[in-house]
Amino acid sequence: MYERVLLNFGYMEKLQLSKPAPLRELLTLALETEGDNDWSKEEGGIELVANKLRDLLVSKSALLKEYFSIVISEKSELIALPEIIPNYVPPMAKLPGFLLRLSLDVNWSEEKPCFQGIADELALFYQIEGGRYLDHSITYSAHKKQHISLKWVIQHTILPAMSYDFHPPRSLEGAGCTIQVACLEELYKIFERC
């Protein structure tokens, strides 16, 4: 997913949410469930922390929209997410945690670490993770609005998209993580003999 974010940097399609999602409520939910439980004691309460994080994301909305197709309205609502893989909608149960990590874990002060951090968080958000789907066997197709199985989505949407753009780093070649199945140049040599 990370590679797809980088390859489509600045040119991602938008995945419109059916209803605008209020950032403050999502961040509050994430702070209560995923965040450190000391927020209520140290920072003046979860609500104050959620407001600060919401304000940070709203202040960065132009950057998020231009480069990553994350659209945040002036009313502090999430309007759209990037469509990293066509016809794949990430598990929305991960949305509050994504927004929390986006606001806390990204280095917003330096350009390169900022873009890398956002790409990292988008890749984590879009990855398939057991237990995060409302129904393990059903997900939605983004454009067709129909129920299809998660297995089908993995097989016919995610894996073809990943194999098309996947370029493993050289460090993985010797570790046995990737295996070359065929070499186009060698296939040409074989077929030239026929």
Side-chain angles (χ1 to χ4, degrees):
M1 297 290 181
Y2 182 79
E3 274 193 353
R4 290 191 63 85
V5 173
L6 296 181
L7 286 171
N8 296 319
F9 182 76
Y11 299 102
M12 293 182 209
E13 294 293 321
K14 291 182 181 82
L15 180 65
Q16 293 290 130
L17 299 180
S18 58
K19 287 183 183 179
L23 289 177
R24 187 175 158 278
E25 290 178 21
L26 291 170
L27 289 165
T28 301
L29 178 64
L31 287 167
E32 290 172 348
T33 57
E34 297 182 23
D36 186 2
N37 291 331
D38 293 335
W39 292 113
S40 57
K41 301 172 193 168
E42 295 178 16
E43 302 290 330
I46 288 178
E47 297 299 322
L48 181 63
V49 174
N51 286 337
K52 287 181 182 179
L53 297 177
R54 176 202 59 203
D55 293 344
L56 172 69
L57 291 176
V58 169
S59 71
K60 304 298 182 185
S61 63
L63 176 141
L64 291 169
K65 181 179 180 182
E66 182 177 352
Y67 297 111
F68 297 100
S69 297
I70 300 173
V71 181
I72 298 173
S73 72
E74 293 175 2
K75 297 178 182 177
S76 304
E77 295 175 326
L78 183 65
I79 305 294
L81 291 166
E83 188 176 42
I84 296 173
I85 295 178
N87 298 321
Y88 173 65
V89 179
M92 289 297 139
K94 293 172 63 173
L95 185 58
F98 163 70
L99 293 171
L100 180 65
R101 287 189 313 277
L102 188 64
S103 55
L104 290 177
D105 295 346
V106 172
N107 178 358
W108 295 99
S109 59
E110 297 180 44
E111 184 178 44
K112 187 175 178 182
C114 173
F115 290 150
Q116 285 176 332
I118 296 169
D120 282 338
E121 296 308 328
L122 280 169
L124 283 172
F125 178 52
Y126 273 79
Q127 79 181 12
I128 295 195
E129 188 177 312
R132 292 296 194 150
Y133 294 86
L134 297 177
D135 181 337
H136 298 290
S137 62
I138 296 175
T139 187
Y140 259 127
S141 171
H143 300 293
K144 298 176 185 175
K145 301 293 183 203
Q146 63 185 3
H147 290 284
I148 51 179
S149 72
L150 182 58
K151 180 181 176 183
W152 189 93
V153 171
I154 293 169
Q155 183 178 1
H156 292 93
T157 304
I158 295 174
L159 289 179
M162 299 303 290
S163 65
Y164 180 74
D165 292 327
F166 182 63
H167 305 288
R170 299 265 182 226
S171 62
L172 294 180
E173 287 179 2
C177 297
T178 59
I179 299 170
Q180 182 176 351
V181 177
C183 175
L184 190 58
E185 291 82 20
E186 295 297 321
L187 290 174
Y188 282 137
K189 290 178 187 177
I190 292 170
F191 287 111
E192 283 178 356
R193 293 182 208 155
C194 296

